[in-house]
C-alpha cells in the first residue's frame, strides 16, 4: 500500500462534494497489483477456513479410529489414578500429538503464506519460538479447562452439559481478564506511550468521551508482522486500549486519532461485555449440541473407538470434532456479530475523532491484508470487519453531511453575508 495516502481533490470540502466520488478517488490510489495481492491473500483465507476444518476433522477421526486416543487414556491411567492428574497427562499427550499432526498446515498458513504476501517479519527460529510459547500457554490453560470439565462430567453424569457450559463461560471471562496482563506480554513487549504529540490528543478525546484513561499502551507487533492494528483487550479493571507500533510508525496523526476513536467506541459501548454475553449464549447452545451429538455418536461408534462414556478422557477428539463442526457452521454468524460491533465502533470513531480522511487512510492501510471491495454476500459470510470500501464510504458520507466542520472560517464568513 502507498505509505503516504493523499487526501484526493474529490475528498476536499466543496459545494460539489460527493461521497461516492470521494470514495472512488481514495480507492484509485491503491495500485492494481496491490489490490490483486491483498484480494488473493484474503480469498485464500476463505479456503483455509474449509481446509483447517477438514484437516482438523481428519486428525480427530484418525485419533478415534486408530484408537490412539484410547491408548493415550490407558497410558494416563497407568501413570496415575488421581483423576485430575490423569486428565492432565492425557491432555499433554493429546496436545503433543495433534500439534505434530497439524504442524504442516500451521507452518504453511502462519509462516510460508505470511511471508509470501509480505506480512511476516520473523525468520523461522523466532517464529518457532513463538509457536513453542503458544504451546506452553495451551498446555496450561487448555489443561486447566480439561481438568475442570472432566471433573464436572464425572460428578454430574446427567446434567454435565449445563455445568460444563457454566464452567466454560467462567473460564472465558477469566482468560479475557488475564490476557492483556499475563498472556500478551509472553509474546510482545507492551509499554506505555509517552510521546505527548500522540498521547495528548488521544487523552483529551478520552476525557471528552468519559473514559477514565490515564495511559495509552503500545506493543511491538512489528516483531511478528507488518500489519497495522489496535485493540481493546481485557475485562473489568484490566481493560485497556493498545495501539501497535506499525500503526504508530506508518499512520498519520489524523489516522491514529481516527483509529483511536474507533477503539474508544468499543470501550464506551461495552463491546467486550456484550461479546462475552453473546459467546455465553453460543457456549450454552454448543453444549446442548454436544450433549446430543456425543450420545448419538458414542452409541454408534463408542465401542469401536473404545470410549467408555462422556467422562472418559479418550472422548476428547470427538468433543473437538463436534465443536469444530459447530464452529464451522456458525462462522458467518460469528463474523456478522463482530462485524456489526465493528461498524458501530466505526461510526462512534468518526463522530468522536472527526477525522474521516484519517479513517479512510486507515481503511486503505488495513486493506493490505483484507479485500477492499467484496460483494455483499461475500462480506456477510467472510468479513469480521466492514470492507475497506464500505468503511471509506461511511467516512465520506459522514464528511459530506458534516462539511461545515471542514470549511475554512473565511468562506463561513462569506456564507453569512
Ligand atoms: Zn474494532
Amino acid at each position: 500500500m502507498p505509505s503516504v495516502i493523499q487526501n484526493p481533490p474529490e475528498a476536499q470540502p466543496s459545494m460539489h462534494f460527493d461521497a461516492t466520488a470521494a470514495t472512488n478517488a481514495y480507492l484509485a490510489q491503491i495500485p492494481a497489483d496491490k489490490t490483486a495481492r491483498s484480494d488473493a491473500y484474503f480469498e485464500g483465507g476463505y479456503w483455509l477456513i474449509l481446509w483447517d476444518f477438514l484437516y482438523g476433522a481428519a486428525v480427530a477421526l484418525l485419533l478415534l479410529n486408530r484408537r490412539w486416543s484410547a491408548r493415550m487414556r490407558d497410558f494416563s491411567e497407568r501413570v496415575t489414578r488421581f483423576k485430575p492428574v490423569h486428565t492432565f497427562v492425557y491432555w499433554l499427550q493429546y496436545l503433543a500429538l495433534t500439534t505434530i499432526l497439524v504442524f504442516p498446515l500451521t507452518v504453511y498458513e502462519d509462516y510460508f503464506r505470511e511471508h509470501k504476501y509480505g506480512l511476516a517479519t520473523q525468520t523461522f527460529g523466532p517464529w518457532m519460538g513463538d509457536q513453542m510459547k503458544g504451546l506452553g500457554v495451551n498446555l496450561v490453560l487448555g489443561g486447566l479447562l480439561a481438568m475442570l470439565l472432566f471433573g464436572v462430567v464425572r460428578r454430574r453424569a446427567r446434567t454435565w452439559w449445563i455445568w460444563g457450559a457454566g464452567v466454560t463461560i467462567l473460564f472465558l471471562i477469566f482468560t479475557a481478564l488475564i490476557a492483556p496482563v499475563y498472556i500478551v506480554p509472553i509474546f510482545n513487549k507492551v509499554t506505555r506511550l509517552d510521546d505527548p504529540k500522540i498521547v495528548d490528543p488521544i487523552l483529551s478525546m478520552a476525557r471528552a468521551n468519559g473514559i477514565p484513561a490515564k495511559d495509552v499502551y503500545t506493543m511491538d507487533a512489528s516483531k511478528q508482522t507488518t500489519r497495522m492494528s489496535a485493540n481493546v483487550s481485557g475485562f473489568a479493571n484490566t481493560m485497556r486500549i493498545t495501539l501497535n507500533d506499525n500503526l504508530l510508525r506508518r499512520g498519520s496523526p489524523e489516522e491514529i486519532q481516527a483509529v483511536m476513536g474507533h477503539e474508544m467506541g468499543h470501550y464506551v459501548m461495552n463491546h467486550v461485555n456484550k461479546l462475552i454475553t453473546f459467546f455465553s449464549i453460543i457456549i450454552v447452545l454448543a453444549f446442548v449440541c454436544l450433549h446430543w451429538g456425543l450420545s448419538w455418536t458414542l452409541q454408534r461408534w463408542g465401542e469401536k473407538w473404545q470410549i467408555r462414556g462422556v467422562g472418559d478422557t479418550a472422548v476428547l477428539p470427538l468433543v473437538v470434532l463436534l465443536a469444530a463442526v459447530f464452529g464451522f457452521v456458525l462462522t458467518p454468524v460469528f463474523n456478522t456479530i463482530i462485524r456489526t460491533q465493528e461498524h458501530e465502533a466505526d461510526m462512534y470513531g468518526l463522530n468522536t475523532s472527526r477525522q474521516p480522511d484519517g479513517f479512510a487512510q486507515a481503511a486503505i492501510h488495513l486493506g493490505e491484508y483484507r479485500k477492499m471491495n467484496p460483494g455483499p454476500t461475500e462480506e456477510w459470510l467472510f468479513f469480521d470487519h466492514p470492507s475497506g470500501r464500505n468503511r471509506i464510504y461511511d467516512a465520506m458520507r459522514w464528511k459530506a453531511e458534516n462539511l461545515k466542520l471542514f470549511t475554512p472560517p473565511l468562506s463561513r464568513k462569506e456564507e453569512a453575508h
Side-chain angles (χ1 to χ4, degrees):
M1 288 297 160
S3 54
V4 180
I5 299 154
Q6 307 295 328
N7 184 343
E10 291 86 343
Q12 310 284 351
S14 81
M15 297 291 285
H16 320 287
F17 190 96
D18 176 57
T20 306
T23 304
N24 290 334
Y26 265 113
L27 289 171
Q29 291 186 52
I30 308 173
D33 62 318
K34 295 282 196 289
T35 304
R37 191 180 164 95
S38 61
D39 283 5
Y41 175 75
F42 201 77
E43 287 165 11
Y46 306 162
W47 288 103
L48 284 180
I49 298 173
L50 180 66
W51 301 137
D52 285 348
F53 168 67
L54 292 177
Y55 198 109
V59 166
L61 288 172
L62 188 70
L63 262 61
L64 293 169
N65 281 324
R66 312 225 56 170
R67 295 189 204 72
W68 291 350
S69 186
R71 260 183 258 166
M72 292 192 291
R73 182 236 8 244
D74 294 345
F75 177 78
S76 318
E77 277 177 349
R78 280 200 295 278
V79 172
T80 173
R81 280 276 168 189
F82 183 54
K83 292 292 185 187
V85 180
H86 162 91
T87 304
F88 190 78
V89 173
Y90 175 89
W91 173 251
L92 186 70
Q93 300 170 79
Y94 172 84
L95 189 65
L97 184 58
T98 50
T99 303
I100 292 166
L101 289 173
V102 179
F103 190 73
L105 191 60
T106 311
V107 74
Y108 163 71
E109 210 168 300
D110 282 4
Y111 186 77
F112 289 111
R113 186 167 182 267
E114 291 294 300
H115 273 281
K116 183 180 159 203
Y117 286 98
L119 294 168
T121 54
Q122 269 174 321
T123 52
F124 193 77
W127 177 83
M128 202 56 207
D130 275 356
Q131 292 295 312
M132 296 314 286
K133 288 178 187 174
L135 194 61
V137 172
N138 222 338
L139 181 68
V140 175
L141 287 181
L144 186 63
L145 183 63
M147 287 193 283
L148 286 169
L149 285 178
F150 278 109
V152 163
V153 177
R154 283 183 205 116
R155 276 171 190 76
R156 297 275 184 273
R158 269 185 305 158
T159 52
W160 63 267
W161 51 281
I162 305 171
W163 297 92
V167 164
T168 308
I169 291 165
L170 289 177
F171 187 80
L172 176 74
I173 295 172
F174 167 75
T175 312
L177 188 72
I178 64 162
V181 187
Y182 294 106
I183 300 178
V184 176
I186 297 175
F187 299 91
N188 288 90
K189 207 167 144 219
V190 180
T191 45
R192 283 187 174 82
L193 255 179
D194 50 14
D195 180 357
K197 268 212 314 281
I198 296 165
V199 174
D200 289 353
I202 291 174
L203 287 184
S204 56
M205 213 155 78
R207 282 188 288 273
N209 288 280
I211 298 172
K214 288 188 294 292
D215 298 302
V216 181
Y217 293 85
T218 180
M219 71 174 215
D220 58 348
S222 58
K223 206 174 120 188
Q224 288 103 353
T225 177
T226 61
R227 287 173 168 83
M228 275 191 182
S229 76
N231 67 67
V232 177
S233 61
F235 183 71
N237 52 6
T238 65
M239 202 179 280
R240 56 169 68 168
I241 294 175
T242 310
L243 304 175
N244 86 19
D245 59 345
N246 292 320
L247 173 67
L248 290 173
R249 213 180 42 243
R250 294 170 55 210
S252 67
E254 295 77 22
E255 190 174 346
I256 292 169
Q257 285 167 38
V259 172
M260 208 58 204
H262 168 102
E263 299 305 331
M264 286 178 189
H266 283 312
Y267 187 98
V268 171
M269 292 185 280
N270 290 310
H271 279 170
V272 172
N273 303 25
K274 287 176 188 167
L275 217 52
I276 285 178
T277 310
F278 163 72
F279 277 113
S280 300
I281 297 167
I282 293 286
I283 286 169
V284 172
L285 267 177
F287 269 88
V288 171
C289 293
L290 194 61
H291 175 49
W292 175 81
L294 281 178
S295 50
W296 193 81
T297 40
L298 285 180
Q299 232 162 40
R300 267 157 196 78
W301 299 291
E303 219 167 303
K304 181 184 170 208
W305 293 333
Q306 292 173 4
I307 300 171
R308 297 166 196 151
V310 184
D312 178 1
T313 45
V315 82
L316 192 67
L318 181 58
V319 172
V320 171
L321 175 62
L322 293 172
V325 173
F326 185 82
F328 180 72
V329 172
L330 286 188
T331 303
V333 177
F334 292 132
N335 283 341
T336 297
I337 298 281
I338 297 170
R339 190 179 63 247
T340 306
Q341 281 199 342
E342 293 299 333
H343 181 248
E344 285 175 10
D346 281 356
M347 298 325 290
Y348 190 99
L350 283 170
N351 285 321
T352 191
S353 71
R354 303 181 169 191
Q355 296 286 7
D357 294 289
F359 191 73
Q361 291 167 19
I364 291 178
H365 276 136
L366 301 179
E368 287 169 356
Y369 55 93
R370 277 196 205 115
K371 192 172 177 178
M372 287 299 286
N373 200 1
T377 313
E378 187 180 9
E379 186 162 344
W380 189 85
L381 284 173
F382 295 117
F383 277 64
D384 62 0
H385 282 69
S387 65
R389 164 178 268 280
N390 281 340
R391 292 182 119 172
I392 297 175
Y393 180 73
D394 281 338
M396 290 303 110
R397 188 176 54 189
W398 186 94
K399 190 174 184 181
E401 290 169 0
N402 293 277
L403 262 190
K404 59 181 183 298
L405 296 172
F406 304 92
T407 320
L410 181 68
S411 50
R412 258 187 234 167
K413 218 191 281 170
E414 279 168 0
E415 254 172 52
H417 278 292

